[in-house]
Amino acid sequence: MKRRLDRKVALLLAGAFLIGFLTFLTHSYYNSVLDRIGADELENIRTYQHHFVVIVENSDLPFWQDVVQSMREEAERCDALLELWGENRSTAMEYTASDYMDMAIAAKVDGIILEYTGERSLDRKIEAAGAYGIPVVTVLKDAPSTSRVSFVGANSYQLGQEYGRQILDLLPDGNDPVRVMALLRDNSADGSQAQVVSQINNVLMTEYDDPVRIGIEERTVSSTGNFEVEETIWNIFQSPEGPPDVFVCMDETDTEAVYQAIIDFNKVGEAQVIAYYYSDQILDAIENGTIPVTMVVDTKQMGEYSIMALTEYLGVGRVNSYYSVDLQFIDSSNIHKFREGLEES
């Protein structure tokens, strides 16, 4: 009798062990399948009212990371799913912005937020998206000749005026000629950078006593990759005339290349740079005097306005054609307050 009970207990224990083991295997297999399909928590999947896609040239830059974070927060408030395509740099290198536009159209998304790079193919993709009823909002760089529904970015007129006044503050004393070089991107087809330079000239001609002293130069920088940017900047520093007295940067990558060249060629204090956006390195450089000033676009506004433009268009069928975001210049006089604001946010 006792032996029979022992056998029953053993069978029960063996059965319990088998059930537990099978449960473990099933759970492990379930998780591995979810990992392979990219759904870590299937039970948390929810249905959104809208599906938006963001397509930018280099999502690794801190500027775009901040903008997209603001977009995500606003999209969540608007019950919209927001995807950043090309976020993985190794994957992004396999596709162009035009390719991602094709994917977004094929996926029948509800809206596209696009950093317009000036490629002719993007003009056609914007038109194709419109034909399928998919609104496109351009950010930072505009495509006014296309059917994009709205543009979100800085006012070129205001930006050029502010750049001009910053240059005036950086002019050395004396009567020696001063060279100012504006770094332009070869993918800027919307004319905004040309307008910025035009307004810089306007300020220098009307607000400075000796405008003939200042010479404005334009140098086009390739948008194909960081190596080409660095090569262009190095060529400027190694040219017979050397670097200009003041660089005006309108791109984060250009700023980093110019700053590094100033250090490498021991031109601290000789070549000044009006930087674009901020990073820990740029803020540190402002504090130690290596960089005098940087221009910062309000990325929170840019993200919020982009989502607002799409949701408003989808809601009422029309939207403002232009959303202007705020900008400010950070220098030694306000950098500590700016850092405090970053810590609080």
Side-chain angles (χ1 to χ4, degrees):
M1 182 72 177
K2 182 178 180 181
R3 184 177 299 175
R4 190 178 299 172
L5 289 174
D6 290 342
R7 289 180 63 183
K8 287 183 177 180
V9 171
L11 288 172
L12 287 173
L13 290 174
F17 174 79
L18 181 61
I19 292 172
F21 181 69
L22 291 174
T23 301
F24 172 77
L25 284 180
T26 302
H27 182 71
S28 299
Y29 176 75
Y30 175 75
N31 285 335
S32 68
V33 170
L34 290 182
D35 288 339
R36 284 199 297 272
I37 66 174
D40 295 327
E41 296 184 26
L42 189 60
E43 61 274 12
N44 290 334
I45 291 178
R46 53 174 283 196
T47 300
Y48 292 88
Q49 184 178 3
H50 300 301
H51 178 198
F52 300 148
V53 167
V54 185
I55 302 171
V56 299
E57 187 177 17
N58 186 356
S59 60
D60 290 333
L61 293 176
F63 174 82
W64 285 118
Q65 292 174 5
D66 291 344
V67 171
V68 172
Q69 177 59 32
S70 175
M71 289 178 181
R72 292 191 194 282
E73 294 172 359
E74 184 65 20
E76 184 67 24
R77 285 191 287 270
C78 296
D79 193 25
L81 171 65
L82 183 78
E83 288 188 90
L84 173 60
W85 285 6
E87 186 170 8
N88 186 316
R89 197 178 181 88
S90 60
T91 302
M93 293 176 66
E94 299 176 8
Y95 301 103
T96 65
S98 183
D99 294 330
Y100 282 119
M101 287 291 291
D102 285 335
M103 296 178 192
I105 294 170
K108 299 180 181 179
V109 300
D110 297 307
I112 300 172
I113 301 171
L114 172 70
E115 179 196 6
Y116 181 70
T117 60
E119 298 175 28
R120 290 295 181 185
S121 61
L122 284 181
D123 291 8
R124 296 191 296 270
K125 304 305 180 184
I126 294 174
E127 299 305 315
Y132 281 94
I134 302 174
V136 176
V137 171
T138 55
V139 289
L140 196 60
K141 302 169 187 175
D142 196 13
S145 61
T146 69
S147 61
R148 62 95 176 121
V149 298
S150 187
F151 165 65
V152 180
N155 183 296
S156 299
Y157 177 89
Q158 178 189 2
L159 184 57
Q161 293 271 317
E162 293 297 333
Y163 270 134
R165 295 187 179 98
Q166 292 299 323
I167 292 171
L168 292 178
D169 290 340
L170 295 178
L171 291 180
D173 296 331
N175 299 314
D176 294 336
V178 176
R179 292 173 57 213
V180 177
M181 182 177 290
L183 299 178
L184 311 182
R185 277 303 172 117
D186 61 2
N187 61 6
S188 181
D190 62 348
S192 60
Q193 291 189 347
Q195 186 175 5
V196 169
V197 175
S198 175
Q199 290 308 312
I200 290 175
N201 268 306
N202 183 46
V203 169
L204 298 182
M205 292 293 292
T206 58
E207 299 186 17
Y208 188 59
D209 295 335
D210 186 15
V212 179
R213 180 190 176 200
I214 307 172
I216 301 292
E217 307 171 26
E218 299 178 19
R219 180 64 63 92
T220 300
V221 181
S222 172
S223 59
T224 56
N226 290 355
F227 176 78
E228 287 76 10
V229 173
E230 293 170 2
E231 184 178 30
T232 300
I233 302 304
W234 271 62
N235 288 338
I236 292 172
F237 276 79
Q238 292 178 316
S239 64
E241 61 271 23
D245 298 288
V246 181
F247 282 98
V248 178
C249 296
M250 303 183 197
D251 182 273
E252 194 172 351
T253 304
D254 298 349
T255 296
E256 294 175 355
V258 171
Y259 173 72
Q260 189 59 51
I262 289 174
I263 301 298
D264 293 340
F265 286 90
N266 195 26
K267 294 294 183 180
V268 176
E270 298 180 32
Q272 305 276 26
V273 53
I274 300 177
Y276 182 91
Y277 205 54
Y278 71 91
S279 63
D280 289 338
Q281 183 185 47
I282 291 176
L283 295 181
D284 290 342
I286 292 175
E287 287 190 325
N288 62 39
T290 310
I291 291 179
V293 63
T294 188
M295 190 278 292
V296 177
V297 174
D298 193 324
T299 54
K300 183 174 176 60
Q301 282 186 352
M302 183 170 286
E304 291 177 348
Y305 290 167
S306 300
I307 300 299
M308 287 170 53
L310 285 179
T311 53
E312 182 176 344
Y313 182 84
L314 292 172
V316 299
R318 52 185 170 77
V319 66
N320 292 336
S321 61
Y322 175 56
Y323 285 82
S324 178
V325 299
D326 295 336
L327 55 90
Q328 63 175 318
F329 286 85
I330 308 301
D331 56 23
S332 59
S333 68
N334 60 2
I335 186 171
H336 296 297
K337 184 177 181 180
F338 182 75
R339 280 192 184 274
E340 290 174 0
L342 292 178
E343 293 173 358
E344 291 175 358
S345 61

